[in-house]
Amino acid sequence: MSNRGDSVATASNSVDTVDSVTTGPIEGSAKHYREVDDLRIPVRRINLTNGEHFDVYDTSGPYTDTAAAIDLEAGLPKLRDGWERREIEGPRTQLSWARAGLITPEMRFIAAREEVEPELVRAEVAAGRAVIPANHRHPELEPTIIGKKFLVKINANIGNSAVSSSIAEEVEKMVWASRWGADTIMDLSTGKNIHETREWILRNSPVPVGTVPMYQALEKVNGDPAKLTWEIYRDTVIEQAEQGVDYMTVHAGVLLRYIPLTAKRVTGIVSRGGSIMAAWCLAHHRESFLYTNFAELCEILARYDVTFSLGDGLRPGSIADANDAAQFAELRTLGELTKIAKSHGVQVMIEGPGHVPMHKIVENVRLEEELCEEAPFYTLGPLATDIAPAYDHITSAIGAAIIAQAGTAMLCYVTPKEHLGLPNRDDVKVGVITYKIAAHAADLAKGHPHAQARDDELSKARFEFRWRDQFALSLDPDTAREYHDETLPAEPAKTAHFCSMCGPKFCSMRISADVRDYAERNGLTDLEAIDAGMAEKSAEFADSGNQVYLPVVS
Amino acid sequence: MSNRGDSVATASNSVDTVDSVTTGPIEGSAKHYREVDDLRIPVRRINLTNGEHFDVYDTSGPYTDTAAAIDLEAGLPKLRDGWERREIEGPRTQLSWARAGLITPEMRFIAAREEVEPELVRAEVAAGRAVIPANHRHPELEPTIIGKKFLVKINANIGNSAVSSSIAEEVEKMVWASRWGADTIMDLSTGKNIHETREWILRNSPVPVGTVPMYQALEKVNGDPAKLTWEIYRDTVIEQAEQGVDYMTVHAGVLLRYIPLTAKRVTGIVSRGGSIMAAWCLAHHRESFLYTNFAELCEILARYDVTFSLGDGLRPGSIADANDAAQFAELRTLGELTKIAKSHGVQVMIEGPGHVPMHKIVENVRLEEELCEEAPFYTLGPLATDIAPAYDHITSAIGAAIIAQAGTAMLCYVTPKEHLGLPNRDDVKVGVITYKIAAHAADLAKGHPHAQARDDELSKARFEFRWRDQFALSLDPDTAREYHDETLPAEPAKTAHFCSMCGPKFCSMRISADVRDYAERNGLTDLEAIDAGMAEKSAEFADSGNQVYLPVVS
């Protein structure tokens, strides 16, 4: 496996490739582990030039640990092997353990990562408001939680298609996506070697891996949806569950009677899985075999603790089709399936749109929570307009930030190539960083207790002209440094008390620092008292009728 | 003037450069003029492969008209020369004419561009809820309105600094920015040749041009804020007004007593103009000369019909400082100044933040409208998080879309280089397209009567595999085509009924089209009746308690 000759990597020179995957820490940081009881919790430790450090949530796995020996053939260390598996009544799933009042090692690991109490993790999983996608057969996994009381998560889709890309590229895309912050990845391969590609990805993935089993099932019948059967699909699900897939998208809500609801749409059915099932239903004039065999499917998933991601096969593919009868009819059915899955002890999340104008976004969350018992919502964007192909990472980041603020637990990224082509390595990175922005903006807006610390730390570094710290604290230090160096490449500029935007004379940050010094020199040092006094003056001023040319009050 | 050797242009091969600026239409379109009475209203006509066309609002001026002779030395034709200028009591400004009940040629031009009634334009200007920045001495201008009842506008900042860039680059940046959709541009030059650069830009600009006169005034005192005087500033304003500047940012709300309110901020004062005035106030321990001479300033601006853009010198420069006492104290003063300016017949808009987390955005609009008599709000983003330098076009597009939905009339773009360096040609384009997305998303969310037509047209083209039309209808046809061609470069792929994402067998759009055909072939042709029937069935189903495994109903 080699990715040499691939598109230009944006990683800095300090990054090595071992067996053709990217290793080594992100610039300005190093892997650190916090010991919590018997667990080692990975964090990315950003080392600042003032001697302090700042730790951030780390999805990158051993690849960014310089002490780790990476061997793709052997796969990652089996972190969860030997973790306690208490026997209980019913299936051995995180949901069942949580309901039984048990806090699993996965829950403790997550609590430490998220800096919350383990009991909160257990309670949210027990209530079905959060899921921990963690197949027993994916022991390499560093457990992750998806639920609205936790940090908003993002997923990166990878996967070759019949037209393009290779296994080697896909494994590197997984490493690359999780390096930059993808919390889960979905392998959406549709071409040859689906099984083998997935095996490589799973054995080397520190993050949960999702799939859409229908894609492989369809390969087995040479791409003719009419030839699909429940048996072929079921065997594919078992095959994938045996490999260790952590969550599976199942479009079981596309019912025969909903299909005509899409006929007058501007963009019909745009979900691949949804359109495959619609074609099958119409070809046989029968109800979807995913729906009629759903209970058996639950039994299979429960055995491995595979999490359902109930797919929105009828999601809108355009602004015109948002929040229509077809979309919401399917959502109602997903609510019904949620109850069944949970009754089998299977964890469930619900997939959401798609393309939705801003003013119709919040209704999607409200209805999903009402119909699906607040199961974690997992949305694709949504795109807030259709008119910007090549920029759909941005059109969708707008929708994603808004829908996450409203309670969506995980955001599926969109790359600049959406609607146009397959993402390359650079596109994957841009998609991931863009979605980290949307997720973090939502964490801030939701008042997550730890979220703003990183904004404050970076802004302080910016104000104090600690350029290297500003780069290191950013989501993408390499690109931040590169952009800075384009205009002011000289090394001293990294410590200069100005930047290229205004030049030395006009720098507002420098002047502002001078203002602060001046205030201190002139006895305005008890800043709290001044603030209070000034607020009072300001209020007096307002009371006086806001007249201009009042005598100056300092 | 030559921009050869500049950074790589993303324009397609069909575009020429005349005298080093970009000319020729955007791919797939041509300049068209609609005759409305005595006026010729420019539109960009997108020609579709099905023989139809779709017209869009056009900010690009004569540069995209193949019939126009572009001569930078001569400047653009003086479109507004000879337009009627009715004498009235008071100053000859759009505000005074509107208040006198007169509909000016500028208002008629705008009404035709926006596809609204001229009376709406007049009434909104008269109420101070909209402005038409149009200096009498900028006759080359194609009039534009900024107000919340109209299309959301975007501004692109250009301008050299002491460190980098040349006049030639700046003129091309203006042409380039308006080509891609900038409704106004601001010349923020701070280096040498400020006057000459501005002259070139004004004589060749079809869009309103804004400035911050303080930057040039400070050049005149060699960059020492303490040496500024009212007289130097006033003369600079007159010099710029004489040249034809359409709107000016004036930081007259930074009062001496507000300055200590910023001392404990994470990022102090980040506005250049604001920090210059703060430095002056502290150096002299006197009230701002902009504030104490505001009435005289109004008299100058009224003579030319220059519009005030009352600057937010104390805007927050970080998430931590959003919506704080300093910011809102200044906003209150801007409200007071708004009343004074309007009493002099001067049009006013109000500048807004900056850096604001999503949950604090709407309060900014509410308070601005309350304190400033609904004067048009003009915001810089705001950035919804601080942690992504190099991606601040995206962090700010999220905030911009939300604040525009809430009523902001114009959005000042942010490029990927924000906080890091000066934007080049590619950065300007990315910034403009990103902000067109935010503005259009807001137009959709506000229910603008014409906005969704373009989304629908593009989505229809996408669903029907009219690839060329999808490119032509997008905000950036060149990049959309380039991304498509990366994976499937062959010419037949432009008409292929699939794309590279799924390949021919898995294409959901193709399957969905098949579904539609199938429904029609099988007598399901009366789609309205089917829709109604299905909705009924769906409701029955819900009433039955959402049981799974009901007998199949088709």
Side-chain angles (χ1 to χ4, degrees):
Chain A
M1 292 199 292
S2 162
N3 69 351
R4 286 173 234 290
D6 199 348
S7 60
V8 180
T10 52
S12 74
N13 293 335
S14 66
V15 172
D16 300 316
T17 57
V18 174
D19 279 347
S20 88
V21 300
T22 306
T23 59
I26 291 175
E27 164 151 3
S29 69
K31 177 73 80 179
H32 177 78
Y33 296 93
R34 292 210 310 268
E35 312 280 338
V36 177
D37 303 328
D38 52 327
L39 300 173
R40 292 176 82 212
I41 311 299
V43 295
R44 181 154 79 86
R45 172 154 290 183
I46 298 171
N47 295 302
L48 305 177
T49 55
N50 62 7
E52 296 177 7
H53 64 257
F54 188 84
D55 291 343
V56 297
Y57 191 102
D58 186 5
T59 57
S60 63
Y63 300 98
T64 51
D65 184 350
T66 49
I70 301 298
D71 178 350
L72 297 186
E73 304 275 342
L76 293 179
K78 297 186 183 344
L79 177 72
R80 298 196 296 143
D81 265 6
W83 282 12
E84 186 187 33
R85 292 277 168 266
R86 295 273 286 277
E87 292 303 329
I88 51 170
E89 285 289 316
R92 295 158 68 245
T93 66
Q94 298 292 332
L95 176 57
S96 297
W97 281 311
R99 282 172 169 168
L102 297 175
I103 292 176
T104 63
E106 283 81 0
M107 294 174 200
R108 288 192 291 117
F109 188 96
I110 285 163
R113 279 187 115 169
E114 301 259 347
E115 301 181 76
V116 298
E117 291 303 313
E119 172 54 22
L120 177 68
V121 175
R122 188 207 61 75
E124 289 295 299
V125 171
R129 279 193 298 268
V131 296
I132 301 173
N135 187 325
H136 301 313
R137 294 182 176 268
H138 185 197
E140 300 88 353
L141 181 75
E142 296 174 352
T144 299
I145 195 160
I146 299 163
K148 70 175 173 177
K149 296 216 175 146
F150 306 95
L151 290 166
V152 174
K153 302 303 186 295
I154 69 163
N155 171 69
N157 289 337
I158 60 175
N160 59 349
S161 84
V163 176
S164 179
S165 85
S166 71
I167 292 179
E169 281 175 83
E170 297 314 312
V171 174
E172 166 61 5
K173 273 185 201 165
M174 174 275 292
V175 172
W176 187 241
S178 60
R179 174 182 184 83
W180 295 110
D183 294 286
T184 80
I185 63 111
M186 288 194 78
D187 173 17
L188 302 184
S189 295
T190 57
K192 282 172 187 161
N193 307 319
I194 291 185
H195 184 98
E196 193 192 353
T197 303
R198 192 169 50 235
E199 185 66 24
W200 279 90
I201 290 173
L202 276 163
R203 297 291 71 78
N204 289 289
S205 178
V207 299
V209 175
T211 60
V212 186
M214 181 59 75
Y215 298 168
Q216 186 180 9
L218 192 60
E219 286 288 340
K220 293 178 180 175
V221 293
N222 295 315
D224 182 351
K227 294 202 179 118
L228 283 166
T229 64
W230 160 245
E231 289 72 23
I232 288 169
Y233 181 84
R234 181 194 58 201
D235 293 350
T236 307
V237 167
I238 294 171
E239 171 190 336
Q240 298 196 3
E242 283 283 329
Q243 282 188 296
V245 168
D246 301 292
Y247 66 92
M248 296 183 187
T249 295
V250 179
H251 296 98
V254 179
L255 302 192
L256 180 57
R257 64 182 169 281
Y258 300 155
I259 298 169
L261 294 178
T262 68
K264 287 199 312 174
R265 279 180 158 185
V266 168
T267 47
I269 302 175
V270 296
S271 147
R272 269 189 269 175
S275 58
I276 292 164
M277 283 315 300
W280 186 90
C281 288
L282 286 187
H284 298 280
H285 207 74
R286 286 173 52 199
E287 192 49 278
S288 160
F289 60 75
L290 297 176
Y291 183 76
T292 55
N293 293 284
F294 193 74
E296 188 179 343
L297 197 52
C298 291
E299 285 164 18
I300 298 166
L301 267 58
R303 285 204 291 277
Y304 302 87
D305 201 4
V306 173
T307 298
F308 268 118
S309 186
L310 293 176
D312 53 338
L314 303 182
R315 68 168 176 266
S318 57
I319 292 295
D321 296 341
N323 293 20
D324 74 352
Q327 183 194 339
F328 286 156
E330 181 188 32
L331 184 59
R332 190 173 293 277
T333 299
L334 298 187
E336 172 197 347
L337 297 172
T338 300
K339 290 191 183 70
I340 296 167
K342 283 161 71 178
S343 75
H344 285 85
V346 182
Q347 304 184 88
V348 182
M349 52 186 173
I350 305 291
E351 297 186 8
H355 294 238
V356 186
M358 287 195 287
H359 63 300
K360 292 187 178 177
I361 287 177
V362 172
E363 174 66 4
N364 279 273
V365 181
R366 196 199 61 73
L367 205 57
E368 189 271 346
E369 292 188 346
E370 179 189 315
L371 296 175
C372 305
E373 302 183 331
E374 298 183 80
F377 204 22
Y378 168 28
T379 63
L380 177 66
L383 284 67
T385 168
D386 303 342
I387 69 169
Y391 299 81
D392 279 334
H393 57 309
I394 300 175
T395 63
S396 67
I398 293 169
I402 295 170
I403 208 163
Q405 179 183 13
T408 289
M410 184 156 76
L411 304 169
C412 182
Y413 88 165
V414 170
T415 78
K417 293 281 169 62
E418 183 76 14
H419 295 121
L420 298 170
L422 282 176
N424 63 23
R425 179 182 166 87
D426 291 338
D427 297 320
V428 166
K429 180 176 173 183
V430 168
V432 168
I433 300 285
T434 301
Y435 270 67
K436 293 302 280 185
I437 290 169
H440 183 76
D443 287 335
L444 285 177
K446 288 163 71 181
H448 187 285
H450 309 301
Q452 199 184 309
R454 188 168 179 180
D455 295 76
D456 294 350
E457 202 67 36
L458 188 146
S459 290
K460 258 167 52 189
R462 179 176 285 156
F463 192 66
E464 294 169 7
F465 296 100
R466 288 185 277 118
W467 287 96
R468 283 193 188 82
D469 293 346
Q470 191 188 155
F471 303 151
L473 286 159
S474 72
L475 288 177
D476 178 0
D478 298 334
T479 307
R481 168 187 289 274
E482 180 191 320
Y483 284 0
H484 173 268
D485 288 359
E486 257 181 48
T487 325
L488 280 180
E491 196 54 21
K494 301 288 193 316
T495 51
H497 277 201
F498 65 93
C499 58
S500 58
M501 285 85 82
C502 315
K505 284 197 299 195
F506 285 79
C507 179
S508 63
M509 294 243 182
R510 186 184 59 73
I511 295 178
S512 186
D514 291 349
V515 164
R516 190 180 285 185
D517 290 350
Y518 180 94
E520 287 179 4
R521 274 201 316 281
N522 288 271
L524 307 175
T525 46
D526 185 355
L527 298 172
E528 235 156 47
I530 292 170
D531 268 20
M534 286 302 122
E536 218 170 83
K537 293 283 182 215
S538 181
E540 272 172 28
F541 180 68
D543 291 343
S544 72
N546 290 350
Q547 282 176 279
V548 191
Y549 315 142
L550 281 178
V552 171
V553 187
S554 69
Chain B
M1 294 201 290
S2 161
N3 69 351
R4 284 173 237 291
D6 200 347
S7 60
V8 180
T10 52
S12 74
N13 293 335
S14 65
V15 173
D16 301 317
T17 58
V18 175
D19 280 344
S20 86
V21 299
T22 305
T23 59
I26 291 175
E27 164 151 3
S29 70
K31 177 74 79 179
H32 178 77
Y33 295 93
R34 293 211 308 268
E35 311 279 339
V36 178
D37 303 328
D38 52 327
L39 301 172
R40 291 176 83 212
I41 311 300
V43 295
R44 181 154 78 86
R45 173 153 290 182
I46 298 170
N47 295 302
L48 305 177
T49 55
N50 62 8
E52 296 176 8
H53 64 258
F54 188 84
D55 291 343
V56 297
Y57 191 101
D58 186 5
T59 56
S60 63
Y63 300 98
T64 50
D65 184 352
T66 50
I70 300 298
D71 178 349
L72 297 187
E73 304 275 342
L76 293 179
K78 298 188 182 340
L79 177 71
R80 296 196 298 144
D81 265 5
W83 282 13
E84 186 186 34
R85 292 276 168 264
R86 293 274 286 277
E87 292 304 328
I88 52 170
E89 284 288 315
R92 295 158 68 244
T93 66
Q94 298 292 331
L95 175 56
S96 298
W97 281 310
R99 282 171 169 169
L102 297 175
I103 291 175
T104 63
E106 284 80 0
M107 295 174 199
R108 287 193 290 118
F109 189 96
I110 285 163
R113 278 187 117 170
E114 299 260 347
E115 300 181 77
V116 297
E117 290 302 314
E119 173 53 23
L120 176 68
V121 175
R122 189 206 61 75
E124 289 296 298
V125 172
R129 278 193 299 267
V131 295
I132 301 174
N135 186 324
H136 300 315
R137 293 182 177 269
H138 186 198
E140 300 88 352
L141 181 74
E142 295 174 352
T144 299
I145 195 160
I146 300 163
K148 70 176 175 178
K149 296 219 176 143
F150 306 95
L151 290 166
V152 175
K153 303 302 186 296
I154 69 163
N155 170 70
N157 289 338
I158 60 175
N160 59 347
S161 83
V163 176
S164 179
S165 85
S166 71
I167 292 179
E169 280 175 81
E170 298 313 312
V171 175
E172 166 62 3
K173 274 184 199 165
M174 176 275 293
V175 172
W176 187 242
S178 59
R179 175 183 183 83
W180 295 110
D183 294 285
T184 79
I185 63 110
M186 288 193 80
D187 173 18
L188 303 185
S189 295
T190 57
K192 286 176 184 159
N193 307 319
I194 291 186
H195 184 97
E196 193 194 351
T197 304
R198 192 169 49 236
E199 186 65 25
W200 280 91
I201 290 173
L202 276 162
R203 297 291 72 79
N204 289 288
S205 177
V207 300
V209 175
T211 61
V212 186
M214 181 60 75
Y215 297 168
Q216 188 181 6
L218 193 60
E219 286 288 340
K220 292 178 180 175
V221 293
N222 296 315
D224 182 351
K227 296 203 178 118
L228 284 166
T229 64
W230 160 244
E231 290 70 24
I232 289 169
Y233 182 83
R234 181 196 57 201
D235 293 350
T236 307
V237 167
I238 293 171
E239 171 191 337
Q240 298 196 3
E242 282 283 327
Q243 283 188 298
V245 168
D246 301 292
Y247 66 92
M248 296 184 187
T249 295
V250 179
H251 297 98
V254 179
L255 302 192
L256 179 58
R257 63 182 169 281
Y258 300 155
I259 298 169
L261 295 177
T262 67
K264 288 199 312 175
R265 279 180 159 185
V266 168
T267 48
I269 303 176
V270 296
S271 147
R272 269 191 268 175
S275 58
I276 292 164
M277 283 315 300
W280 187 90
C281 290
L282 287 187
H284 299 279
H285 206 73
R286 286 173 54 198
E287 191 50 281
S288 160
F289 60 75
L290 297 176
Y291 183 76
T292 56
N293 294 284
F294 192 73
E296 190 181 342
L297 196 52
C298 291
E299 285 164 19
I300 299 167
L301 267 57
R303 285 206 291 276
Y304 302 88
D305 201 3
V306 174
T307 299
F308 268 118
S309 187
L310 292 177
D312 53 339
L314 303 182
R315 68 168 176 267
S318 57
I319 290 296
D321 296 342
N323 293 22
D324 74 353
Q327 184 194 338
F328 287 156
E330 181 187 31
L331 184 58
R332 190 173 295 275
T333 299
L334 299 187
E336 176 197 341
L337 298 172
T338 300
K339 289 191 184 70
I340 296 168
K342 284 162 70 179
S343 74
H344 286 85
V346 183
Q347 304 184 87
V348 182
M349 53 186 174
I350 305 291
E351 297 187 7
H355 294 237
V356 185
M358 287 195 287
H359 63 300
K360 292 187 177 176
I361 287 177
V362 172
E363 174 65 3
N364 279 273
V365 181
R366 196 199 62 72
L367 205 56
E368 189 272 345
E369 292 189 346
E370 180 189 314
L371 297 175
C372 305
E373 303 184 329
E374 297 184 81
F377 206 20
Y378 169 27
T379 63
L380 178 66
L383 284 68
T385 169
D386 303 340
I387 68 168
Y391 298 81
D392 279 333
H393 59 308
I394 300 175
T395 63
S396 67
I398 292 169
I402 294 170
I403 208 163
Q405 180 184 10
T408 289
M410 184 156 77
L411 304 169
C412 182
Y413 86 166
V414 170
T415 77
K417 291 283 168 60
E418 183 76 13
H419 296 120
L420 297 170
L422 282 175
N424 62 23
R425 181 184 165 86
D426 291 339
D427 297 320
V428 167
K429 180 175 174 183
V430 168
V432 168
I433 300 285
T434 301
Y435 270 68
K436 293 301 280 187
I437 289 168
H440 183 77
D443 287 335
L444 285 177
K446 288 163 71 181
H448 187 286
H450 309 301
Q452 198 183 311
R454 188 168 178 180
D455 295 77
D456 294 351
E457 202 67 37
L458 188 146
S459 289
K460 259 168 49 190
R462 178 176 285 156
F463 193 68
E464 292 167 8
F465 296 99
R466 286 185 279 119
W467 287 96
R468 282 192 189 81
D469 293 345
Q470 190 189 154
F471 303 152
L473 287 159
S474 73
L475 288 178
D476 179 0
D478 298 334
T479 307
R481 168 187 290 275
E482 181 191 321
Y483 285 180
H484 173 268
D485 288 358
E486 257 181 47
T487 326
L488 279 180
E491 196 53 23
K494 301 289 192 317
T495 50
H497 277 202
F498 65 94
C499 57
S500 58
M501 286 83 81
C502 315
K505 283 197 299 196
F506 284 79
C507 178
S508 63
M509 295 246 183
R510 187 184 58 74
I511 294 177
S512 186
D514 291 349
V515 163
R516 190 179 284 186
D517 290 349
Y518 180 95
E520 287 179 3
R521 274 202 316 280
N522 288 270
L524 308 175
T525 45
D526 185 356
L527 298 172
E528 235 155 47
I530 291 169
D531 267 17
M534 285 304 122
E536 216 171 86
K537 293 285 184 215
S538 181
E540 271 172 27
F541 179 68
D543 292 343
S544 72
N546 290 351
Q547 281 177 280
V548 192
Y549 315 142
L550 282 177
V552 172
V553 188
S554 69

